[in-house]
Amino acid sequence: MRTTLALTDVPACLGLEASWVGPPRRRPGDTRAPISVRRLTGDVDDTLSFRQHAVRECFDTAAALRVHREPLAGEPWTLPARAEKRLLAQVNAIVALGPNALAQVIRLALDPDLDDPGRVFAALLTLGMVDDQALHMEALRILRSAVMRSASEARAAVEALGLSPHPGFDETLALLLRDPQARIREACVRVLAFRGTLSEDAWHTAVRDADLGVSTAALGAPLAGYEPVACEEALEPCFDMRNAETRVRLALRAGVSIGSARAHDFASWCMRGEAPGWADAAHCVALFGRASDAPAIARLLQGADPRVGVRAAARLGVVDLVPHLLSVLARHAADSEAAVAARRALQAITGIAFETSDSRDAKAGARDAALRWERHASSFYPGTRYRGGHALSLALLLELLRDGPGSREERDTLYLEMRSATASRVPRFSVHDFVGVQQRALRRIGAWLRERD
C-alpha cells in the first residue's frame, strides 16, 4: 500500500510513523507558552494539553466541513474543493500529532448524549486515511455503533468509509456482508458500492436479501463489469408496482445502466398508464436514449398535465418533440408551471431561449415561440437527439459533466446517460467523490473516449 506524508486535494493513505512529529517535549528553561497559545489553552503551558486542544479544534472543524462538500443550487460543482482542502488539512494535522491524537479521535467519534453525524464522519475519515490495521479495526467498531444508533450517523459513516482510500477495508467489509444484523449488512453494501468494490456475487446475494433495506441498497450499486443478463434477471422481480416506489426507481435506473430491455418495457408500460411519473418511469424511458420513444412521450405532452412528459422530452432531446412542447405553451398560461417547464425543455433541447412576458396571453406567447423555432428549425435533423442545440454524444455528456450544472442529482444523471450508452463500460465516476478525485475520473473518461473513437 503506497503511503504519503501529507494530503492536499484528494484522500490518500498517510504513513503514521512518517507523518508523526514525535512525542511532546518540554524545552529547558522558560517553558511558559506564548500569549497566543495561552489564550487557546487557558494559560496552560503544557505541550500535551495544547496538542489535545489542537486535535479537538481540528476534529470539530473537519466535522463541520462535511456539509460543505455538496454544492448548493446554482453553485459550480468545483466550489467545494476549497472546503475539501481545508478538511484534509485538519486530517493532516491530527495524524501529525501521532497515536495520542488518533486515540482522542476515537474517543470523540460518538457523542454519548445525542446523534452527531459530523463527528462520526470526521472520525472515520481520519482513521480511514491512516495506514494502520489496528486503527481500521477501531473504525469498523465505530461504524457498527453508528449504524445501530441512528440513520443519520449511519449515512455519515457510509460516506466517510466510502471516501477512505485504503483498500484494506474492502476485505473486512465483505466479511460483514454476512453479519446477522441487517443494518450492518446494508451499511456494508452501501460502502462497498460507493467504493466500486462490491463483488458481483455479493451484489446478487444482497439483491435477494430478505431485508428490504439491504436489497434496496444493492439496487443503487454500479453494475460495471457484471454480467448484464444475470443482472437483468435479478432486477426483474423489482419491476412491479406493488413494490415501494423508491425501490422500483432504483431498479429502473440500474436497468438503464445496463440497457435492460425488461426495465425499458416496464417503464414504458408505466408511462402508458395512469401514473407515468410513478418511479420516474417516463424519465427512465428517456434515459434509455431511444428516439423511437418520442411518439409515446409526445402523447404525454398532449395530456391535461404535461409536466412528466416535459421532463422526459427534455432528457430524450429528440427534436421532433419541439412542436409538441410548443403546443404546451399554447394551452397553458405563460406563468404556469407547465409552460415554464416547457420553455426550459425547449432551451435544453435547442439551445434557444424561449422567453415570454407574463403579461401576454398564452396563445400570443406560443406564436412568438413558434416563429422563433421556425427561424432555426432547418439547423436540426429529425430523429436526432440534441442537448443545448448540439447533437447529443458521449463527448457532449462528458463536457456537461465537466462544465455543466453543479447539482449532484443532475450530474449523476448525466453519468447514468453515459453508462446507458456504453452498457456501463465507461470508467468509474461518482459525484460524491472529492472534487480532485472527480477531476481525475473525468480525465480518465476523456482518455477512454479518445481511445474508443
Side-chain angles (χ1 to χ4, degrees):
M1 179 68 226
R2 184 179 179 183
T3 60
T4 184
L5 293 179
L7 307 168
T8 52
D9 61 338
V10 299
C13 291
L14 294 168
L16 180 55
E17 291 185 8
S19 302
W20 187 24
V21 297
R25 292 176 296 176
R26 284 188 179 274
R27 292 184 301 170
D30 182 13
T31 59
R32 188 170 174 78
I35 291 176
S36 59
V37 174
R38 274 184 259 151
R39 199 164 50 242
L40 287 172
T41 62
D43 215 12
V44 175
D45 60 2
D46 188 315
T47 305
L48 181 60
S49 297
F50 174 65
R51 286 191 176 191
Q52 290 173 345
H53 179 85
V55 169
R56 183 59 193 257
E57 289 288 314
C58 291
F59 182 82
D60 288 344
T61 300
L65 287 170
R66 179 196 174 210
V67 299
H68 295 282
R69 291 194 57 247
E70 181 174 0
L72 299 175
E75 291 181 346
W77 67 271
T78 54
L79 188 64
R82 293 176 62 184
E84 290 176 345
K85 289 177 181 178
R86 190 178 172 204
L87 169 59
L88 293 174
Q90 312 311 305
V91 177
N92 273 331
I94 293 171
V95 177
L97 292 175
N100 287 341
L102 292 164
Q104 186 178 347
V105 165
I106 292 168
R107 292 194 299 271
L108 291 171
L110 298 166
D111 189 306
D113 300 318
L114 51 84
D115 294 339
D116 193 334
R119 287 172 65 162
V120 171
F121 174 81
L124 291 182
L125 189 67
T126 301
L127 298 174
M129 280 198 263
V130 183
D131 187 18
D132 187 284
Q133 188 175 4
L135 292 176
H136 293 173
M137 297 309 295
E138 289 290 344
L140 293 171
R141 181 187 62 78
I142 294 168
L143 167 72
R144 176 177 289 276
S145 298
V147 166
M148 300 307 293
R149 274 164 53 110
S150 73
S152 61
E153 289 193 336
R155 287 191 294 271
V158 166
E159 181 183 355
L161 287 187
L163 294 167
S164 297
H166 202 290
F169 283 110
D170 294 332
E171 184 176 350
T172 308
L173 289 168
L175 294 174
L176 291 176
L177 292 173
R178 298 193 292 270
D179 195 276
Q181 288 286 350
R183 278 191 278 180
I184 300 299
R185 298 198 302 277
E186 177 184 346
C188 291
V189 168
R190 292 189 186 280
V191 173
L192 291 169
F194 195 127
R195 296 165 68 88
T197 54
L198 183 67
S199 73
E200 185 170 358
D201 287 344
W203 179 81
H204 280 280
T205 300
V207 167
R208 296 191 302 269
D209 197 289
D211 184 83
L212 281 177
V214 178
S215 58
T216 301
L219 295 176
L223 305 182
Y226 295 1
E227 207 289 310
V229 174
C231 290
E232 185 174 39
E233 291 174 352
L235 291 171
E236 187 171 19
C238 300
F239 303 144
D240 189 327
M241 293 189 76
R242 291 171 293 186
N243 289 320
E245 184 177 7
T246 299
R247 181 178 175 82
V248 177
R249 182 187 297 112
L250 287 170
L252 285 175
R253 289 175 71 91
V256 167
S257 74
I258 57 173
S260 165
R262 298 176 193 179
H264 180 270
D265 289 347
F266 178 74
S268 299
W269 176 80
C270 289
M271 186 174 67
R272 293 192 300 269
E274 296 181 357
W278 188 82
D280 285 347
H283 191 238
C284 284
V285 168
L287 285 169
F288 277 96
R290 302 181 184 181
S292 57
D293 287 320
I297 292 174
R299 284 192 288 274
L300 294 180
L301 295 174
Q302 295 159 8
D305 184 356
R307 288 175 296 176
V308 169
V310 167
R311 183 182 179 217
R315 184 64 60 184
L316 185 62
V318 174
V319 76
D320 309 63
L321 292 169
V322 168
H324 300 282
L325 288 166
L326 292 171
S327 74
V328 173
L329 298 181
R331 300 195 317 272
H332 295 267
D335 60 348
S336 67
E337 191 176 337
V340 170
R343 285 194 295 274
R344 289 175 181 165
L346 285 163
Q347 184 167 354
I349 296 171
T350 67
I352 304 166
F354 287 85
E355 298 175 356
T356 189
S357 170
D358 291 346
S359 63
R360 304 186 60 185
D361 63 66
K363 290 185 178 180
R367 283 196 298 270
D368 285 350
L371 289 172
R372 196 169 302 165
W373 168 242
E374 192 175 320
R375 290 196 293 269
H376 296 88
S378 61
S379 302
F380 296 84
Y381 295 96
T384 301
R385 299 181 68 199
Y386 289 87
R387 190 70 53 85
H390 302 283
L392 191 58
S393 65
L394 287 170
L396 179 58
L397 289 171
L398 176 60
E399 181 182 333
L400 291 171
L401 262 182
R402 192 171 48 229
D403 306 321
S407 78
R408 281 181 175 175
E409 181 182 4
E410 174 58 22
R411 297 180 71 242
D412 190 46
T413 301
L414 288 170
Y415 181 59
L416 178 56
E417 289 186 275
M418 298 190 79
R419 292 166 62 197
S420 176
T422 63
S424 282
R425 287 189 290 270
V426 64
R428 180 191 178 275
F429 172 83
S430 172
V431 297
H432 299 282
D433 277 329
F434 274 62
V435 169
V437 175
Q438 292 186 54
Q439 290 170 329
R440 293 180 184 182
L442 292 174
R443 289 194 290 271
R444 282 195 297 272
I445 292 173
W448 181 79
L449 287 179
R450 288 190 293 274
E451 291 176 6
R452 188 172 182 267
D453 290 342

